[in-house]
Short mmCIF file of all heavy atoms in Angstrom, two decimals:
data_model
loop_
_atom_site.label_atom_id
_atom_site.label_comp_id
_atom_site.label_asym_id
_atom_site.label_seq_id
_atom_site.Cartn_x
_atom_site.Cartn_y
_atom_site.Cartn_z
N SER A 206 -266.39 -13.26 80.50
CA SER A 206 -266.01 -13.62 81.87
C SER A 206 -264.99 -14.77 81.90
O SER A 206 -264.03 -14.86 82.62
CB SER A 206 -267.24 -14.08 82.74
OG SER A 206 -268.12 -12.81 82.81
N ARG A 207 -265.31 -15.83 81.15
CA ARG A 207 -264.53 -16.98 81.00
C ARG A 207 -263.05 -16.61 80.54
O ARG A 207 -262.12 -17.08 81.00
CB ARG A 207 -265.06 -18.09 80.16
CG ARG A 207 -266.31 -18.70 80.81
CD ARG A 207 -266.93 -19.79 79.87
NE ARG A 207 -268.24 -20.23 80.34
CZ ARG A 207 -268.34 -21.23 81.31
NH1 ARG A 207 -267.31 -21.79 81.79
NH2 ARG A 207 -269.65 -21.53 81.68
N THR A 208 -263.10 -15.94 79.33
CA THR A 208 -261.94 -15.61 78.64
C THR A 208 -261.03 -14.56 79.27
O THR A 208 -259.83 -14.52 79.16
CB THR A 208 -262.17 -15.22 77.13
OG1 THR A 208 -263.05 -14.14 77.13
CG2 THR A 208 -262.69 -16.36 76.45
N ALA A 209 -261.67 -13.69 80.13
CA ALA A 209 -260.90 -12.66 80.75
C ALA A 209 -260.42 -13.16 82.13
O ALA A 209 -259.27 -12.74 82.43
CB ALA A 209 -261.76 -11.40 80.99
N PHE A 210 -261.19 -13.97 82.82
CA PHE A 210 -260.86 -14.24 84.21
C PHE A 210 -260.66 -15.74 84.39
O PHE A 210 -260.44 -16.21 85.59
CB PHE A 210 -261.80 -13.64 85.21
CG PHE A 210 -262.04 -12.16 85.04
CD1 PHE A 210 -263.11 -11.58 84.74
CD2 PHE A 210 -260.89 -11.32 85.31
CE1 PHE A 210 -263.22 -10.08 84.73
CE2 PHE A 210 -260.91 -9.94 85.20
CZ PHE A 210 -262.04 -9.35 84.90
N GLY A 211 -260.84 -16.49 83.47
CA GLY A 211 -260.63 -17.86 83.69
C GLY A 211 -261.63 -18.45 84.77
O GLY A 211 -262.74 -18.43 84.65
N SER A 212 -260.97 -19.09 85.75
CA SER A 212 -261.78 -19.78 86.85
C SER A 212 -262.53 -18.83 87.61
O SER A 212 -263.42 -19.18 88.42
CB SER A 212 -260.88 -20.63 87.64
OG SER A 212 -259.92 -19.71 88.35
N SER A 213 -262.33 -17.51 87.57
CA SER A 213 -263.02 -16.53 88.31
C SER A 213 -264.22 -15.89 87.54
O SER A 213 -264.67 -14.86 87.81
CB SER A 213 -262.11 -15.35 88.73
OG SER A 213 -261.04 -15.88 89.49
N TYR A 214 -264.63 -16.68 86.49
CA TYR A 214 -265.64 -16.06 85.62
C TYR A 214 -267.09 -15.75 86.20
O TYR A 214 -267.76 -14.78 85.94
CB TYR A 214 -265.92 -16.92 84.38
CG TYR A 214 -266.80 -18.07 84.52
CD1 TYR A 214 -268.20 -18.06 84.17
CD2 TYR A 214 -266.37 -19.29 85.01
CE1 TYR A 214 -268.93 -19.11 84.37
CE2 TYR A 214 -267.08 -20.37 85.17
CZ TYR A 214 -268.42 -20.28 84.74
OH TYR A 214 -269.26 -21.42 84.88
N GLU A 215 -267.41 -16.46 87.33
CA GLU A 215 -268.65 -16.14 87.98
C GLU A 215 -268.52 -14.86 88.69
O GLU A 215 -269.51 -14.10 88.62
CB GLU A 215 -268.95 -17.26 89.10
CG GLU A 215 -269.46 -18.58 88.45
CD GLU A 215 -270.81 -18.37 87.83
OE1 GLU A 215 -271.52 -17.45 87.97
OE2 GLU A 215 -271.19 -19.32 87.08
N GLU A 216 -267.54 -14.50 89.32
CA GLU A 216 -267.31 -13.17 89.89
C GLU A 216 -267.21 -12.12 88.82
O GLU A 216 -267.69 -11.01 88.97
CB GLU A 216 -266.00 -13.15 90.69
CG GLU A 216 -266.03 -13.95 91.92
CD GLU A 216 -264.64 -14.30 92.48
OE1 GLU A 216 -263.95 -13.23 92.99
OE2 GLU A 216 -264.12 -15.41 92.42
N GLY A 217 -266.62 -12.48 87.65
CA GLY A 217 -266.65 -11.53 86.54
C GLY A 217 -268.03 -11.19 85.97
O GLY A 217 -268.30 -10.01 85.62
N LYS A 218 -268.89 -12.21 85.99
CA LYS A 218 -270.35 -11.94 85.60
C LYS A 218 -271.05 -10.92 86.46
O LYS A 218 -271.76 -10.11 86.05
CB LYS A 218 -271.06 -13.31 85.50
CG LYS A 218 -270.63 -14.20 84.42
CD LYS A 218 -271.36 -15.46 84.44
CE LYS A 218 -272.81 -15.36 84.04
NZ LYS A 218 -273.46 -16.68 83.96
N ARG A 219 -270.72 -10.93 87.75
CA ARG A 219 -271.25 -9.92 88.63
C ARG A 219 -270.83 -8.52 88.28
O ARG A 219 -271.65 -7.59 88.26
CB ARG A 219 -270.89 -10.37 90.13
CG ARG A 219 -271.42 -9.31 91.13
CD ARG A 219 -271.00 -9.63 92.50
NE ARG A 219 -271.35 -8.49 93.45
CZ ARG A 219 -270.38 -7.47 93.51
NH1 ARG A 219 -269.19 -7.50 92.95
NH2 ARG A 219 -270.66 -6.50 94.37
N ILE A 220 -269.54 -8.49 87.89
CA ILE A 220 -269.01 -7.11 87.49
C ILE A 220 -269.70 -6.61 86.33
O ILE A 220 -270.08 -5.47 86.19
CB ILE A 220 -267.47 -7.24 87.22
CG1 ILE A 220 -266.80 -7.59 88.56
CG2 ILE A 220 -266.97 -5.97 86.66
CD1 ILE A 220 -265.35 -7.98 88.31
N PHE A 221 -270.07 -7.53 85.41
CA PHE A 221 -270.72 -7.10 84.18
C PHE A 221 -272.20 -6.54 84.56
O PHE A 221 -272.62 -5.48 83.96
CB PHE A 221 -270.96 -8.17 83.20
CG PHE A 221 -271.87 -7.90 82.06
CD1 PHE A 221 -271.62 -6.83 81.19
CD2 PHE A 221 -273.12 -8.43 82.03
CE1 PHE A 221 -272.48 -6.51 80.19
CE2 PHE A 221 -274.02 -8.18 80.96
CZ PHE A 221 -273.74 -7.08 80.11
N GLU A 222 -272.87 -7.13 85.50
CA GLU A 222 -274.12 -6.53 85.88
C GLU A 222 -274.07 -5.27 86.51
O GLU A 222 -274.92 -4.48 86.24
CB GLU A 222 -274.77 -7.62 86.87
CG GLU A 222 -275.08 -8.95 86.37
CD GLU A 222 -276.19 -8.97 85.23
OE1 GLU A 222 -277.07 -8.10 85.36
OE2 GLU A 222 -276.04 -9.83 84.44
N LEU A 223 -272.94 -5.05 87.25
CA LEU A 223 -272.85 -3.77 87.77
C LEU A 223 -272.50 -2.63 86.58
O LEU A 223 -273.04 -1.60 86.62
CB LEU A 223 -271.60 -3.73 88.81
CG LEU A 223 -271.83 -4.41 90.02
CD1 LEU A 223 -270.55 -4.54 90.85
CD2 LEU A 223 -272.91 -3.63 90.91
#
Side-chain angles (χ1 to χ4, degrees):
S206 298
R207 291 178 189 276
T208 53
F210 300 122
S212 60
S213 301
Y214 81 96
E215 286 293 346
E216 294 167 64
K218 288 176 71 175
R219 176 181 168 275
I220 293 168
F221 169 69
E222 293 299 327
L223 291 171

